[in-house]
Amino acid sequence: MSARAARPRTIAVIAPLRHPIREPHAGGLEAMVWDRVRMLRARGHRVLLCAVEGSQFQEDVPAEFRLPAAVWPDEMDATDSTYPPGHLDRALPALEAALDFIRWNADTIDLVDNHSLHPQPLARADQLGVPMVTTLHTPPLPALVEAARAAVPPGRFLAVSAYTAADWRRHGVDALVMPNAIDSSRWRLGPGGEGLVWFGRIVPEKGVHLAVQAARLTGRTLRIAGRVGDAPYFQKHIRPFLGDGVEYLGPLSQPELAQLVGGSACALVTPLWEEPFGLVVAEALATGTPVAAFDTGGIGEVAGTAPAVRLVPMGDVEALASAAGHLANAGGDEQQRRRRTRAAAIARFSLDHRAAELETVFDLSATHARPGAGAWV
């Protein structure tokens, strides 16, 4: 990320309200925002990160950009699908104050890069005096759809996959496809190994319990890494099945995670929902590790035509186990195969390659999409 932007800008990045933007990453969304801020700063932009307290990159942001942390009175109640009692009563006024700061300082801020999963930034977009680009990271959530369709003037929207763009288009929101990207200097080529790996948020819709079942069918060990995003799910469906070749490592820093994934024979990717993108697929491939995955949502786009990926019907544990066994036992020159796998992934998902595309979108927005200047799709 050494290249410099031709026209440095001041960009306010709005992160989601739930987790800090820091390592170990709470999930793929937080990792993507973390990389986005690093990339923009490395290219010479001034980036003001509006995020939950405890985030990195907030040393020089206004106090209004430090949002209250989500704290669960009892961690056994914690889930990624709800907020702790009273959290939004604190978080939304704080977000309003951050948006007010942008409005009051519109003459010094060129653009808002919005990643919030709450509709509030979109609802205020026409009042800020600063153009906003919103990335659609999720399926069409009703409150976000309503805010996006009502935005005046219509904002610029980016979707993380063609699948997600089409899903939102069916709800009346048009978006340019801008796939997520990975830092190739941090996701390095790994040597491979004998065991399987699963990494990501540990929540029901990510289906790690089926990865455990598939691993047992292959006879290979499985190492699981990630933050528990649904404590009751983990306690009921994962913890009782640990041991006997299945190990939970907890949340890992990105370097630790890259080493784990790169030292594995195959990564299992098991979403039980319409996955908007599937960042873990790109991350695994960047280390040279092949992927056996459920074919749902945007997973197929990330996989592309890579021979190192095998897709099976969602929920089919036996097919997943068979695919993982085939990939792990491919034979031939494994290191050459891993190098080719990594090269293909970097060609498609490198953060460096994505930077210029993103800056083009930002330049168009900042130049032509000031309130009253019209919109694009």
Side-chain angles (χ1 to χ4, degrees):
M1 295 188 295
S2 58
R4 307 288 287 183
R7 186 176 182 182
R9 298 189 180 275
T10 296
I11 301 168
V13 174
I14 302 179
L17 294 173
R18 192 179 298 276
H19 302 293
I21 304 302
R22 69 180 183 203
E23 291 190 277
H25 299 305
L29 171 52
E30 289 77 16
M32 178 267 176
V33 174
W34 190 82
D35 271 336
R36 173 74 61 89
V37 174
R38 289 174 54 247
M39 178 266 289
L40 291 172
R41 286 188 170 186
R43 293 176 67 85
H45 300 287
R46 178 181 178 230
V47 181
L48 303 174
L49 176 62
C50 176
V52 169
E53 289 175 339
S55 296
Q56 292 178 250
F57 315 119
Q58 288 196 303
E59 300 82 3
D60 57 352
V61 303
E64 292 88 345
F65 277 30
R66 297 186 179 93
L67 306 179
V71 179
W72 288 89
D74 185 345
E75 284 298 319
M76 289 305 299
D77 296 329
T79 77
D80 281 359
S81 58
T82 60
Y83 290 100
H87 176 65
L88 290 181
D89 294 337
R90 301 184 299 274
L92 294 184
L95 182 55
E96 280 286 352
L99 295 169
D100 285 339
F101 179 91
I102 294 171
R103 180 167 60 87
W104 296 331
N105 293 274
D107 58 334
T108 63
I109 297 174
D110 295 297
L111 184 105
V112 176
D113 183 21
N114 176 35
H115 301 273
S116 180
L117 303 185
H118 194 278
Q120 198 163 4
L122 277 173
R124 291 282 309 275
D126 66 322
Q127 305 169 12
L128 300 181
V130 179
M132 178 182 292
V133 173
T134 296
T135 298
L136 305 174
H137 294 276
T138 67
L141 304 175
L144 275 179
V145 169
E146 182 179 355
R149 294 178 63 178
V152 181
R156 295 194 176 208
F157 295 94
L158 305 178
V160 295
S161 66
Y163 177 89
T164 297
D167 206 7
W168 279 81
R169 190 174 304 115
R170 285 191 288 270
H171 289 77
V173 179
D174 288 300
L176 177 71
V177 177
M178 181 75 69
N180 287 334
I182 53 174
D183 186 344
S184 58
S185 69
R186 292 171 62 83
W187 290 95
R188 296 179 178 274
L189 181 67
E194 295 298 322
L196 307 177
V197 66
W198 186 101
F199 62 109
R201 291 187 302 126
I202 299 179
V203 293
E205 64 267 25
K206 296 294 185 177
V208 64
H209 62 287
L210 298 186
V212 173
Q213 296 176 27
R216 290 261 160 80
L217 290 176
T218 69
R220 293 177 180 266
T221 61
L222 174 68
R223 290 177 292 178
I224 300 169
R227 178 185 57 83
V228 174
D230 190 303
Y233 167 74
F234 180 80
Q235 292 299 324
K236 182 176 180 180
H237 295 283
I238 308 301
R239 184 176 292 280
F241 303 99
L242 298 179
D244 191 24
V246 178
E247 182 181 7
Y248 173 55
L249 304 177
L252 301 180
S253 68
Q254 189 279 332
E256 294 171 326
L257 193 57
Q259 184 176 15
L260 170 68
V261 177
S264 301
C266 181
L268 304 181
V269 179
T270 54
L272 296 176
W273 70 322
E274 296 175 343
E275 188 71 56
F277 181 71
L279 187 63
V280 294
V281 176
E283 291 169 341
L285 295 177
T287 72
T289 295
V291 174
F294 290 157
D295 188 5
T296 177
I299 294 289
E301 288 178 57
V302 183
T305 59
V309 181
R310 287 211 166 190
L311 303 179
V312 304
M314 184 173 65
D316 191 333
V317 172
E318 291 186 358
L320 185 71
S322 176
H326 175 87
L327 290 167
N329 293 304
D333 188 338
E334 181 183 2
Q335 291 308 308
Q336 183 180 19
R337 185 168 60 251
R338 293 183 68 90
R339 287 192 293 270
R340 288 198 302 265
T341 296
R342 170 179 167 80
I346 297 308
R348 297 178 62 213
F349 298 113
S350 168
L351 195 64
D352 286 332
H353 296 169
R354 195 72 72 240
E357 299 172 6
L358 186 65
E359 285 173 341
T360 297
V361 171
F362 283 179
D363 285 346
L364 287 170
S365 300
T367 303
H368 302 297
R370 288 277 173 178
W376 63 278
V377 295

